[in-house]
Amino acid sequence: MSLTSKLVLSLLVSAGSLAADSVGYFDDTSICADSKGLSKCYDKADTSLSSCINNNCAGGGADCYKSCNGDTTCMQSQCPNLGTDCMNACSCVQAVNQIDCIASSCWNQVYSCEYQRTIEDVLNLCALPDMDQFPFWPPPDDAASGCSCNIGKMDKKELLIVDQMTTCTNNMTNLDQMSSVDAVNDYGQACICCAESAILSTIWDTCPNTKPSLLDVDGWYNGFIGQNDWPTCGDYLDAYDCAGDLGFGAKDAGGTTTFYKLGGLPKNGTGTLYNTGSLTTPVSGATFTWTFGTIPHVVTAVSTDHVVAAATATATSTGTQSQTGTSTQTGAASTQTGMAIAKDVPIWTTLASVVLLVSALF
Ligand SMILES: *[C@@H]1O[C@H](CO)[C@@H](O)[C@H](O)[C@H]1NC(C)=O
Ligand SMILES: *[C@@H]1O[C@H](CO)[C@@H](O)[C@H](O)[C@H]1NC(C)=O
């Protein structure tokens, strides 16, 4: 090795150790038990993504993939032959791999904003995933550390509300009592209005301190609420019992109890998204298995010395944590969370073919 290349190498190494390492949603992987391991694991998931696309998504894949440098947004607009569904299926696998990466190398941050946003990717990209299968999601209310907003709890409620909208529209107990087309149409609109209101309640009430614009409110307005007569919903919300007769109060329908109307939302929170600390022991022990679809994923928590340092700065996993511990802000910062699913609600039903592809890929 020549002197100059040694010099370049050492410069690179020191630059690497000074600059925060950013991977996926993690602006700074140093909050992770094994930050190097996390980067490596994400690299591997990137490589799998490219081979998945090249091998499965037909039509000049390799060249177009290269010209876009692996950027999926670029590929969706520049490489029409690749097929959006196919690329989503490959990106779904990538996001699932990233879940494994975090559970293994960043087990001390499984309740973090970053982990929950990675789960959102899985929800957005994978066809009808079973959300009860995800490990560490949604974070429990009494978790020793987590994100300033329990994004997972909010997302789960939103998905249950969208499901309930369909259930409500098809509820024969209610429909059987209606004798005119007008009554049925009114009832259908009431189901939609209750869902719109319930979504807004969920955003404002699950994370009252967080700025709503960071919680994909705009996505919901643009993709759903703004397209479904929200300004006229006041009358429907007065006339119908959303929580009871229309079912939105049931726990498995999101458990909404307050239904805000246009102009009646509580004050906006002003807070950002940030992590409140770090776990000191792996939640599910050194090794655990979770299942995605029908495929078991075995995950081993990687322990390094770094954890000890991170742990002393924050909280113990068992209970009482000091104020200083909970207020430590790590990672995440001000970027926003969101579920593309909000904009794609009706598209779900067309994704059945992707299920087959995804399961074939595993
Ligand atoms: C509250 O947040 C929403 C969503 O970002 C925004 O449209 C609205 O203008 C905000 N309201 C106030 C009073 O700032
Ligand atoms: C169907 O409607 C009945 C009567 O209004 C209501 O009690 C029930 O909870 C609804 N079922 C579901 C699954 O929402």
Side-chain angles (χ1 to χ4, degrees):
M1 191 186 278
S2 75
L3 191 63
T4 36
S5 60
K6 258 187 198 155
L7 185 65
V8 169
L9 191 66
S10 75
L11 284 173
L12 282 175
V13 168
S14 58
S17 59
L18 286 174
D21 202 2
S22 148
V23 151
Y25 288 118
F26 290 91
D27 287 340
D28 179 4
T29 55
S30 71
I31 64 170
C32 291
D34 176 17
S35 59
K36 285 210 177 69
L38 187 78
S39 300
K40 261 193 205 138
C41 189
Y42 266 64
D43 283 348
K44 219 174 130 202
D46 289 348
T47 309
S48 305
L49 172 70
S50 54
S51 59
C52 174
I53 291 178
N54 286 332
N55 295 335
N56 297 286
C57 309
D63 284 347
C64 198
Y65 180 86
K66 269 196 204 121
S67 71
C68 276
N69 245 336
D71 179 82
T72 38
T73 317
C74 166
M75 284 188 283
Q76 277 169 1
S77 60
Q78 302 301 315
C79 320
N81 292 335
L82 285 181
T84 306
D85 285 353
C86 182
M87 290 202 324
N88 282 348
C90 289
S91 299
C92 156
V93 177
Q94 180 193 32
V96 170
N97 287 335
Q98 290 171 346
I99 294 297
D100 287 346
C101 294
I102 300 172
S104 170
S105 298
C106 203
W107 55 260
N108 57 324
Q109 289 293 344
V110 291
Y111 296 138
S112 64
C113 307
E114 291 88 343
Y115 179 79
Q116 296 183 70
R117 295 177 71 196
T118 311
I119 295 276
E120 282 184 334
D121 282 352
V122 178
L123 289 167
N124 286 330
L125 294 164
C126 305
L128 300 174
D130 174 358
M131 53 180 172
D132 294 329
Q133 291 187 321
F134 299 134
F136 319 119
W137 189 92
D141 287 331
D142 61 352
S145 84
C147 184
S148 55
C149 162
N150 191 331
I151 299 167
K153 188 174 168 180
M154 179 186 73
D155 288 345
K156 184 171 183 177
K157 280 188 179 200
E158 290 170 352
L159 293 172
L160 292 173
I161 290 164
V162 170
D163 277 351
Q164 180 61 23
M165 185 167 65
T166 309
T167 306
C168 176
T169 315
N170 296 313
N171 187 332
M172 291 318 290
T173 314
N174 292 336
L175 289 169
D176 280 348
Q177 293 168 13
M178 292 166 198
S179 50
S180 74
V181 176
D182 275 358
V184 172
N185 285 342
D186 253 20
Y187 172 74
Q189 182 60 34
C191 292
I192 294 171
C193 286
C194 292
E196 294 178 62
S197 177
I199 295 281
L200 292 174
S201 300
T202 299
I203 294 170
W204 261 265
D205 291 350
T206 311
C207 300
N209 300 322
T210 307
K211 217 174 155 188
S213 61
L214 300 177
L215 305 174
D216 200 31
V217 156
D218 296 331
W220 284 103
Y221 272 116
N222 294 335
F224 176 51
I225 294 168
Q227 324 244 331
N228 286 287
D229 299 327
W230 174 237
T232 66
C233 277
D235 291 345
Y236 292 92
L237 295 169
D238 285 338
Y240 290 85
D241 173 15
C242 293
D245 293 346
L246 273 59
F248 287 87
K251 199 156 182 255
D252 63 0
T256 308
T257 50
T258 309
F259 292 85
Y260 298 119
K261 291 176 204 158
L262 184 71
L265 286 165
K267 221 172 146 215
N268 288 352
T270 55
T272 57
L273 294 171
Y274 58 89
N275 294 326
T276 58
S278 179
L279 299 166
T280 52
T281 50
V283 175
S284 296
T287 298
F288 75 98
T289 302
W290 71 285
T291 305
F292 185 75
T294 56
I295 312 295
H297 291 237
V298 181
V299 175
T300 300
V302 178
S303 84
T304 69
D305 293 345
H306 175 74
V307 171
V308 181
T312 52
T314 52
T316 59
S317 63
T318 40
T320 52
Q321 48 178 344
S322 66
Q323 275 310 102
T324 47
T326 53
S327 63
T328 317
Q329 299 196 7
T330 53
S334 58
T335 40
Q336 80 163 61
T337 183
M339 296 214 303
I341 217 157
K343 292 141 229 156
D344 295 343
V345 172
I347 292 172
W348 268 26
T349 46
T350 67
L351 286 179
S353 60
V354 184
V355 180
L356 295 173
L357 178 61
V358 172
S359 36
L361 289 169
F362 276 108

